[in-house]
Structure formats: C-alpha cells, structure tokens
Amino acid sequence: LPAAAMLRLSLLAASIAGASAFSAPSFLPRAGARTAAVSGMQMQDRSYSMPFLSRPPALDGTMAGDVGFDPLGFSNYFDLKWLREAELKHGRICMLGCLGFITQEKIQ
C-alpha cells in the first residue's frame, strides 16, 4: 500500500476507536437481567460488584452502570443524584489539575 493509503487507513482506525469510547459497554448487566447462574434467593440481596457484600437499597440498577458498588454505604446517607454530580465535578477538577501539571512541565 502507498503511504497515503496507509495514513488514511490509520486515521480511519483511530477515529473508529475514538468513537467506540463513547458507546456503552455491552458487558454490564441490565436492570432487568438480575437472574444469573445463582438462584434468585441467594443473589437477591447481593451486590454484583462485590458478591460478599449486601446490595445497597438505593442502588437498584436504574442508573447506567449501576452494579451495586458502594462499600462505604454513602448511598444510605446522601441523595444518589447529588453523589453523581459530585463525582463528575471532582473528575473534571482532576482533569484540570493534570492539565496544569503538563502545562507547567512544557513552559519551564
């Protein structure tokens, strides 16, 4: 293949890989798919993320990506929407902090 065709193919592959980052993963369990190989009575009160812990009552699988991961029990004391908003805010602040580290390294 000529160099121009290889460049086009590599750009196409990179854009497909970048676009797939924004799609939902197919391996997460759905809200209605809570029946597995274990009987319903055993897995009814257990978390999918940590099967040795009980499932928090607020995490019932209605939110995207909810697999019952709350080992410290924050969902028992705080509103779930507030916790979700706080997690997004802290993630964005961390991204700005990383950008600051990179900027300082390039400037000096």
Side-chain angles (χ1 to χ4, degrees), residues 41-53:
M41 292 303 288
Q42 291 175 350
M43 278 302 282
Q44 190 173 21
D45 293 335
R46 297 288 172 202
S47 170
Y48 273 111
S49 62
M50 303 179 85
F52 53 89
L53 291 179

Side-chain angles (χ1 to χ4, degrees), residues 18 21 34 41 75 88-89 95-97:
R34 294 236 173 208
M41 292 303 288
S75 64
L88 286 172
K89 180 182 91 171
M95 285 187 269
L96 283 174

